[in-house]
Amino acid sequence: MSELNKNRIQNIIVVGGGTAGWISAAILARSTEHLACAITVVESPNIPTVGVGESTIPTFLDLLDYLKISKQDFVKKTDATFKLGIKFVDWLDEKHSYWHPFGSVGSKIDGVPFYHHWLKSKFHGCPSEFVDFSPSIALAKINRFLAPARKSDSILSESTYALHIDSAKTAKYLENYCKKKRVRHVYADVIDATLSPGGMIERLFLSSGEHLSADLFIDCTGQAGLLIDKYLRVKYIDWSNYLPADQAVVVHTEQAAEIPPYTQATALEHGWMWKIPLRNRAGNGYVYSSQYCDADQALTALRGKLDGAEISEARTLNFSTGKRKSFWVKNCVAVGLSGGFLEPLESTGIYLAMRSMLNLVENFPSAFYEQSLIDEYNRVMHIEYDCIRDFIVAHYCLSNRQDSEFWRSWKEREIPESLRIKLDIFSANGQLYKNPMDLFSEESWWAVLEGMGLRPRHYLPNVDSSDYYKIIDSMKRGSIALKESAKMAPTHEAFLQKLIG
Ligand SMILES: Cc1cc2nc3c(=O)[nH]c(=O)nc-3n(C[C@H](O)[C@H](O)[C@H](O)COP(=O)(O)OP(=O)(O)OC[C@H]3O[C@@H](n4cnc5c(N)ncnc54)[C@H](O)[C@@H]3O)c2cc1C
């Protein structure tokens, strides 16, 4: 073996066979396919996966591209449907709804983002909504779908989409992918681990009697955080002061004939509920704070809002919102729920697992575990978590709802300083001071802040150098053209039928 290869990581163990475990193994298998690197997934036959995580964001398609997985094949085998954004119902007030679109909303005019021109039009009394200029929402509102064609000159080609996925089928799909790439799959509980004198994980002891060693360990054991917590003793930073929801009741129902191409998030008395449409069923869950409501109450409230007949046992899940103080320590990287969790309002759990692994691939160490790479990895992951946290808190803290202790608590609740500064600046003139690494685009922030009723006090003066009447005219024509083009697109069901045959 050459000197160079001797210092390479040759053996990786992923502990956990949930979505994070299989995403991790798939990314590792793909990124090391030309290297002699052994990858093993150890999955407990006794500890179930969380089995939720069914609404994704557009980066999920980047994952499929990275893995060279055909989208058509994936959609077919996982009962997936398309998602153009999220419809938020009753968040600002009861009987009010708004959209968080994927993709662009309008385009820059004279070098200034569309939002600022649109904002000026609101000061002049124009009736249009910000999302009237979103191709994705033009389609979503009338249950239509069209995959944007790169070379098309259609006005809808700027739409962007993600998928709703069956989590069990997705894990199975990725498991099969990994097996084709020679990933070893071991069904056993990890019952103990030993550390080297330097604090590196050395060996795992399995319930089967086998013991396994590796250079690198990926902890995907869910909220247990078996390696990162029990053996490496890395603290969990609790964010329940910012985001108090800590439980969810979930149940599957029959899917109605019409499949919406969006996730619906409806605010309820003590939290909110999701509706995620799949081809074989719908996923429903009520995310709430156990401080204000118990599982029985939550289930009764959820049942009152279901559209179809229940087809699964109801389950209660506990979670704690927060993140690890470090995600990567020594030779162990915590990915998925073991690294942290932000409640599922913006469907970011799967994204974070994928981002964790791609970040690892970018900062892949030699067997010397260069601290500079570990530090950079952790720096990036902290920014990811912090930015997503701020975006989620913004959905709650701007609400006008006062109908329960849960909603009233937001008036006194502390919000992160980074969010407070962002909201203050935005309130002045609509500018967004975002970390360039923030997952959510300016359009996402503008759509949610406008949806939550936060309108800046002034518009940016530099939009006054553009020809206002020409802009108003093109805005009117643009939103009509979007609506008309959307009507020509196939229904979501028709599109799915044609795709899967
Ligand atoms: C209520 C809720 C709703 C969510 N909704 C969304 C959503 O819409 N979109 C989204 O992107 N994300 C969502 N998420 C997050 C998403 O579900 C998770 O990010 C994703 O499922 C990854 O989970 P995981 O693999 O880390 O953990 P788990 O699914 O808990 O898997 C843990 C794995 O570790 C194994 N394991 C545990 N201990 C041992 C041991 N000692 N030995 C061997 N194996 C062990 C278990 O058997 C299991 O295979 C949601 C999460 C919750 C809680």
Side-chain angles (χ1 to χ4, degrees):
M1 191 185 289
S2 75
E3 268 312 296
L4 195 67
N5 284 350
K6 233 168 56 188
N7 296 331
R8 269 200 184 137
I9 287 183
Q10 320 251 341
N11 201 334
I12 307 174
I13 295 181
V14 176
V15 187
T19 314
W22 288 112
I23 286 179
S24 299
I27 291 178
L28 286 170
R30 162 81 182 88
S31 64
T32 61
E33 62 195 348
H34 303 299
L35 311 172
C37 184
I39 300 166
T40 305
V41 173
V42 182
E43 177 181 6
S44 162
N46 303 309
I47 305 168
T49 63
V50 291
V52 275
E54 305 203 312
S55 187
T56 71
I57 56 175
T59 49
F60 189 76
L61 300 166
D62 300 337
L63 174 66
L64 297 184
D65 285 343
Y66 182 82
L67 299 176
K68 298 196 171 132
I69 289 175
S70 136
K71 293 182 189 90
Q72 183 180 17
D73 187 60
F74 183 85
V75 167
K76 207 169 178 169
K77 293 187 178 144
T78 59
D79 281 323
T81 66
F82 293 98
K83 173 181 173 188
L84 292 158
I86 305 179
K87 183 175 184 181
F88 286 95
V89 179
D90 296 343
W91 280 79
L92 176 60
D93 278 312
E94 284 170 281
K95 301 195 171 44
H96 172 273
S97 67
Y98 71 95
W99 294 87
H100 172 192
F102 288 149
S104 65
V105 183
S107 28
K108 278 189 175 173
I109 303 169
D110 298 331
V112 179
F114 175 79
Y115 172 80
H116 297 292
H117 295 279
W118 171 83
L119 183 60
K120 176 175 174 180
S121 80
K122 296 308 281 181
F123 279 97
H124 286 78
C126 286
S128 66
E129 304 278 325
F130 180 52
V131 295
D132 287 350
F133 305 92
S134 154
S136 298
I137 298 311
L139 289 163
K141 278 183 172 172
I142 54 171
N143 279 353
R144 307 267 163 158
F145 184 77
L146 195 62
R150 299 250 180 286
K151 289 194 189 129
S152 156
D153 52 7
S154 158
I155 194 165
L156 295 173
S157 64
E158 295 292 312
S159 68
T160 303
Y161 65 97
L163 298 176
H164 299 118
I165 56 176
D166 179 304
S167 76
K169 288 184 178 165
T170 299
K172 200 73 205 159
Y173 190 99
L174 292 173
E175 180 185 330
N176 289 336
Y177 172 93
C178 288
K179 284 184 179 158
K180 283 188 205 138
K181 299 227 176 278
R182 296 191 181 68
V183 172
R184 184 177 170 221
H185 186 193
V186 177
Y187 258 120
D189 286 303
V190 173
I191 50 171
D192 200 5
T194 50
L195 303 188
S196 72
M200 306 281 249
I201 296 182
E202 258 181 349
R203 188 161 299 178
L204 303 181
F205 294 86
L206 308 188
S207 51
S208 56
E210 192 179 359
H211 47 87
L212 299 175
S213 309
D215 304 314
L216 177 63
F217 294 84
I218 312 294
D219 184 343
C220 295
T221 56
Q223 293 190 75
L226 181 73
L227 303 179
I228 198 83
D229 198 296
K230 183 166 169 200
Y231 292 95
L232 295 175
R233 304 198 168 279
V234 179
K235 281 209 173 92
Y236 195 77
I237 301 172
D238 177 12
W239 277 340
S240 56
N241 53 331
Y242 296 133
L243 289 165
D246 57 359
Q247 283 186 348
V249 283
V250 299
V251 68
H252 298 161
T253 51
E254 282 172 355
Q255 175 57 50
E258 197 170 41
I259 305 176
Y262 55 86
T263 299
Q264 183 160 316
T266 305
L268 300 182
E269 198 180 350
H270 308 292
W272 63 279
M273 74 170 279
W274 75 74
K275 269 188 204 168
I276 300 177
L278 297 176
R279 290 208 312 283
N280 56 336
R281 61 169 170 79
N284 311 271
Y286 183 0
V287 173
Y288 58 94
S289 165
S290 61
Q291 214 184 321
Y292 305 104
C293 166
D294 65 29
D296 289 337
Q297 285 170 296
L299 184 57
T300 308
L302 179 65
R303 285 192 162 132
K305 298 276 178 186
L306 298 176
D307 295 328
E310 287 178 45
I311 52 170
S312 74
E313 291 284 311
R315 290 191 300 140
T316 305
L317 299 167
N318 298 312
F319 55 84
S320 47
T321 297
K323 62 173 183 179
R324 289 283 158 198
K325 191 155 177 265
S326 298
F327 304 91
W328 177 359
V329 174
K330 304 280 182 186
N331 61 341
C332 175
V333 185
V335 175
L337 299 177
S338 66
F341 182 57
L342 287 151
E343 61 147 279
L345 188 58
E346 282 286 350
S347 330
T348 45
I350 294 172
Y351 164 77
L352 282 165
M354 156 194 163
R355 183 72 181 100
S356 305
M357 285 317 291
L358 293 174
N359 188 11
L360 179 63
V361 167
E362 281 161 22
N363 290 290
F364 209 72
S366 75
F368 294 116
Y369 286 94
E370 296 82 354
Q371 193 57 42
S372 54
L373 298 178
I374 298 180
D375 291 344
E376 175 58 10
Y377 178 93
N378 285 323
R379 185 185 74 83
V380 167
M381 291 317 299
H382 280 299
I383 294 174
E384 289 279 354
Y385 273 86
D386 296 357
C387 290
I388 294 173
R389 174 203 61 196
D390 285 5
F391 191 53
I392 295 177
V393 173
H395 293 63
Y396 284 102
C397 70
L398 296 170
S399 175
N400 291 334
R401 285 185 68 141
Q402 289 292 302
D403 53 307
S404 67
E405 275 298 296
F406 174 81
W407 288 104
R408 285 191 287 278
S409 77
W410 288 94
K411 293 284 166 243
E412 281 91 52
R413 201 171 285 285
E414 164 194 21
I415 67 168
E417 179 69 359
S418 46
L419 175 62
R420 195 192 54 70
I421 293 171
K422 195 175 284 152
L423 296 182
D424 286 349
I425 295 174
F426 173 81
S427 302
N429 67 0
Q431 285 283 54
L432 274 172
Y433 279 82
K434 259 174 28 81
N435 189 306
M437 282 170 59
D438 188 336
L439 165 66
F440 291 100
S441 66
E442 293 189 324
E443 273 94 350
S444 288
W445 275 94
W446 281 319
V448 170
L449 296 180
E450 170 64 20
M452 291 306 298
L454 189 62
R455 188 65 74 70
R457 291 187 293 279
H458 310 281
Y459 63 86
L460 266 191
N462 57 346
V463 299
D464 282 339
S465 12
S466 298
D467 181 337
Y468 177 67
Y469 292 101
K470 209 167 132 197
I471 290 171
I472 288 297
D473 184 50
S474 84
M475 274 169 55
K476 268 190 203 142
R477 281 187 287 109
S479 73
I480 292 171
L482 263 184
K483 275 193 195 129
E484 292 306 315
S485 306
K487 283 185 203 156
M488 313 286 280
T491 63
H492 187 203
E493 291 84 345
F495 188 90
L496 282 165
Q497 269 314 321
K498 192 161 176 222
L499 184 78
I500 59 178

